[in-house]
Amino acid sequence: MILFFAGGLFAWPFIVPAARLLSRHGRIETRFAACFVLLALGTIAMTAFLFAMEYRSFYAQWHHPILTWMGFRQFIGTSASGVYQFAVMGLGLYLPAGLPVLAGVSLWLAKAMR
């Protein structure tokens, strides 16, 4: 649960300015759509990144040092595997409660961007 919270928390500073930049002169529907899409994608991307780094830190004990060619390949492969595992197993955990929260926060941000 902490990982999912941290994903949203760390994505927030990047998402809000991007949503303002994309929809600052639009109607409320445009601002809501921009906030909804960017919040969803940004939160998922940041959480997947954090999950991949946690996944990588577990397997690092069996890997070569990161500054070697083999260590770099292992870092990329393990991180990609972590993102894939999050996509398969973790995305479904957002749906029961995350969708209404996402809609509510998007509406709140769209109204605050006037």
Side-chain angles (χ1 to χ4, degrees), residues 26-113:
R27 297 186 332 220
I28 192 163
E29 296 89 1
T30 306
R31 294 191 310 260
F32 174 79
C35 291
F36 191 88
V37 169
L38 289 176
L39 279 172
L41 293 178
T43 301
I44 289 169
M46 184 61 74
T47 309
F49 171 76
L50 293 175
F51 186 86
M53 292 303 101
E54 182 180 341
Y55 196 82
R56 163 71 175 108
S57 70
F58 174 77
Y59 286 105
Q61 59 187 332
W62 296 291
H63 287 184
H64 291 192
I66 187 108
L67 297 178
T68 64
W69 177 247
M70 182 58 78
F72 178 72
R73 288 180 56 203
Q74 289 171 334
F75 175 78
I76 296 298
T78 305
S79 299
S81 298
V83 169
Y84 175 75
Q85 185 175 356
F86 171 77
V88 171
M89 297 171 57
L91 282 179
L93 299 175
Y94 277 118
L95 291 178
L99 201 56
V101 172
L102 176 63
V105 170
S106 297
L107 184 61
W108 173 69
L109 279 175
K111 287 182 178 180
M113 284 186 197

Side-chain angles (χ1 to χ4, degrees), residues 8-18:
L9 183 69
F10 292 149
W12 183 266
F14 301 105
I15 294 169
V16 173

